[in-house]
Amino acid sequence: MKTPVVALLTNDPNLEECLAQVLLETRGLSHLADNASDVLELVCTNGQDLDLAVIDCEHGPHGLTLVAAVNKQRENFPMVVVTGPGEKLIEALAYANGASACLSKPVSATQLAEAMKQCRCSKPQLAVVA
């Protein structure tokens, strides 16, 4: 399997650590972005080199806007969206705006690795809200 290259937007040290563990095992690389515009620039300018993005929607109000913008620039670009605990509405909106997988905090390295694997190997899914 190709070495994964991931763009990460978060201000959560636990999520950074989880991604570091996943990438250590797969010998992957990450680009840690300071803000949503940095991730969008990475996707637009280095998109062919990136395998996916991990976007923490608790990073600020720009998380869902970023998901929609990335999807508009690179349709079907794999994105794992991380939400706060129990934020089903944010999760549904993330899927509606192009997310490939969603995880609710707290997130483990195992969960993140599985979501990354899933979104790199599958087509986007429709979200169903109960």
Side-chain angles (χ1 to χ4, degrees):
M1 176 181 269
K2 177 185 172 292
T3 300
V5 180
V6 180
L8 172 64
L9 176 65
T10 189
N11 59 5
D12 181 345
N14 294 325
L15 185 56
E16 285 183 46
E17 180 62 31
C18 284
L19 182 61
Q21 288 176 21
V22 171
L23 295 177
L24 184 62
E25 292 174 12
T26 61
R27 297 185 179 181
L29 304 170
S30 70
H31 298 281
L32 180 60
D34 292 326
N35 56 55
S37 63
D38 288 349
V39 173
L40 189 57
E41 183 177 338
L42 279 170
V43 170
C44 292
T45 59
N46 298 328
Q48 302 308 317
D49 297 328
L50 290 175
D51 292 300
L52 62 103
V54 176
I55 300 169
D56 183 353
C57 280
E58 283 194 330
H59 184 270
H62 305 294
L64 284 176
T65 303
L66 174 61
V67 172
V70 167
N71 190 51
K72 183 173 180 167
Q73 293 296 315
R74 298 267 323 272
E75 190 173 330
N76 298 324
F77 183 77
M79 291 180 279
V80 175
V81 172
V82 180
T83 68
E87 291 185 348
K88 293 296 183 188
L89 178 59
I90 300 297
E91 183 178 313
L93 290 170
Y95 277 122
N97 283 288
S100 306
C102 289
L103 298 172
S104 182
K105 288 183 181 181
V107 175
S108 71
T110 302
Q111 290 171 310
L112 185 57
E114 185 58 37
M116 290 170 59
K117 181 180 174 185
Q118 170 194 338
C119 79
R120 289 178 66 202
C121 298
S122 67
K123 300 203 185 271
Q125 303 173 1
L126 291 176
V128 178
V129 179

